[in-house]
């Protein structure tokens, strides 16, 4: 049963990793079926997108481009870890902040 859930939600989970537009598309595609695997990764990517927005808005502005660049690279690494987990069909939390994303966006 778990394998079926992963296979059914894998496409939406992958789509959610590609820009805010992909996240929105995945969210809309997942609205009717509410696949647990897809929802898990939609929450993860929503959190990473919020952090990326804050990075561009707050870190760059107040701490400078070097700090913003470093945070951007760290966010890219978290994104890559998440994408690789989706491709493997695993539910893997983003290190450090993944649990908070799941709790914060649990309504999705």
């Amino acid at each position: 049963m778990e394998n079926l859930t992963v296979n059914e939600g894998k496409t939406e989970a992958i789509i959610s990793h590609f820009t805010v537009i992909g996240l929105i598309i995945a969210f809309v595609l997942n609205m009717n079926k509410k696949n647990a695997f897809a929802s898990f990764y939609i929450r993860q990517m929503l959190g990473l997108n919020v952090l990326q927005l804050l990075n561009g808005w707050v870190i760059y502005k107040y701490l400078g481009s070097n700090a913003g660049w470093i945070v951007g690279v760290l966010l890219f690494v978290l994104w890559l870890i998440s994408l690789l987990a989706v491709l493997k069909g695993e539910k893997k939390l983003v290190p450090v902040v993944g649990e908070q994303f799941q709790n914060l966006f649990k309504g999705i």
Side-chain angles (χ1 to χ4, degrees):
M1 188 65 149
E2 177 72 27
N3 219 7
L4 181 63
T5 302
V6 169
N7 289 335
E8 287 179 353
K10 199 170 191 179
T11 302
E12 288 90 350
I14 292 170
I15 291 170
S16 74
H17 281 74
F18 296 101
T19 73
V20 174
I21 307 269
L23 180 62
I24 293 168
I25 290 169
F27 179 77
V28 169
L29 290 173
N30 195 47
M31 282 177 71
N32 292 332
K33 288 196 250 178
K34 283 290 188 187
N35 179 280
F37 186 75
S39 294
F40 176 85
Y41 279 104
I42 289 170
R43 288 188 293 269
Q44 294 292 289
M45 288 304 99
L46 180 58
L48 283 179
N49 277 290
V50 167
L51 288 180
Q52 185 63 40
L53 177 70
L54 290 173
N55 180 42
W57 187 34
V58 176
I59 308 263
Y60 267 98
K61 186 173 182 178
Y62 295 107
L63 297 178
S65 62
N66 287 339
W69 186 83
I70 292 168
V71 171
V73 169
L74 292 173
L75 289 173
F76 174 75
V77 169
L78 295 178
W79 174 85
L80 191 59
I81 289 169
S82 181
L83 180 62
L84 292 174
V86 167
L87 294 174
K88 289 180 188 175
E90 301 172 349
K91 267 188 178 179
K92 185 174 185 177
L93 290 168
V94 174
V96 182
V97 291
E99 188 67 44
Q100 287 81 10
F101 295 161
Q102 292 300 314
N103 292 331
L104 189 60
F105 305 117
K106 60 184 163 200
I108 293 174

